[in-house]
Amino acid sequence: MNTPAWSASISRRTWLATLAGSAALPGVTGATPKPDITLRFSHVVAEETPKGLAANRFKVLVEQRSGGRIGVQIFPNAQLYGDHDEMQALQLGAVDLVAPSLSKFGRIGLPEFELFDLPFLFDDLSAVRRITLGPLGKKLLQGLPRQGLVGLGFFDNGFKQMSANRPLLEPANFMNLRMRVQASRVIAAQMRALGARPVTLAFSETRRALAAGVVDGTENPVSNFWTQAMHEVQTDLSLTNHGYLGYAVVTNQRFWQHLQPDDRSLINQALQESLAFANQIADTQNDQALHALRLAGTTRIHNLTKGQRTRLRQAVQPVQQQLASRIGPRWMKDMEQALRQA
Ligand code: LMR
């Protein structure tokens, strides 16, 4: 699957239609026999996001390498399950793979994953890698069998930006705004520290809630903002880069153990390659989405001065201490140590 070509003349709808067309798999669909195994991969975002493109890449690799014997069905955009029920659907075996954001593991009893939500924690993606690719990342995934799940790897979307119908450049701009958040106590605390009122909503409900004025603003990397057409309902996007959004791919433990070892290794290999691909394209996807947003011209885009960013950072500083006991002192210590390693 190719990354979409962006151009001044391409509208969002044309672009989506082009992508849908290019998702066909020559040599895999049509003439190939019915697969022996079909993996159902459910996710909540659009196809032309880092996660959507990684899922599509995974499908291509698995179906090609297995000669069509293993099929992958992808359900993007919360078509099948949304934030509230995708983990449960996985635990019950209704789907085989999901890739929730790391912010969504706290509510299934793994609050240590919320460490990724700590505001202004990571200077760049290489700092994120020190955790996800190191012993701490491994240890985080090792907690998943407690929930009947297996964690297969991490990947990026990128850094989050703030949107509302006003610029969000200083803590005072957030005062009393109802900000949609993912189900993460750390993100809720971050919004409170800024003077806003956090409202937890499923991703699939966010655009509608913004349009209806149920919430005033939200945070997300630009690729999610753009592909959900949030620019049609938010006048201002402030490039705060205040936090990280990444994912873990998770499967059902029973399902995983019942696969033939060769199939398991084919699937795992294809997945690891797809996650590496996602990490390669995530930055570009967000840059391209920002470019498209500028061309669409509906939303004012604000860069922060150094001073503004420092004041936001100072306002959310207490969150780290406030939430340390939820994340767990041991996890906090290990995380600080991992980040110190150059
Ligand atoms: C959100 O709920 O805001 C995002 O985590 C959605 C996603 O999976 O990127």
Side-chain angles (χ1 to χ4, degrees), residues 100-111:
S101 78
L102 302 170
S103 322
K104 293 172 187 165
F105 287 78
R107 67 163 174 214
I108 63 157
L110 298 162

Side-chain angles (χ1 to χ4, degrees), residues 12 16 43-53 56 76-78 203 223-224 226-228:
R12 201 177 148 269
L16 294 184
H43 68 79
V44 301
V45 295
E47 284 191 88
E48 65 286 3
T49 55
K51 177 156 59 184
L53 293 168
N56 289 350
N77 267 321
F203 184 64
S223 59
N224 275 345
W226 164 251
T227 54
Q228 296 297 316

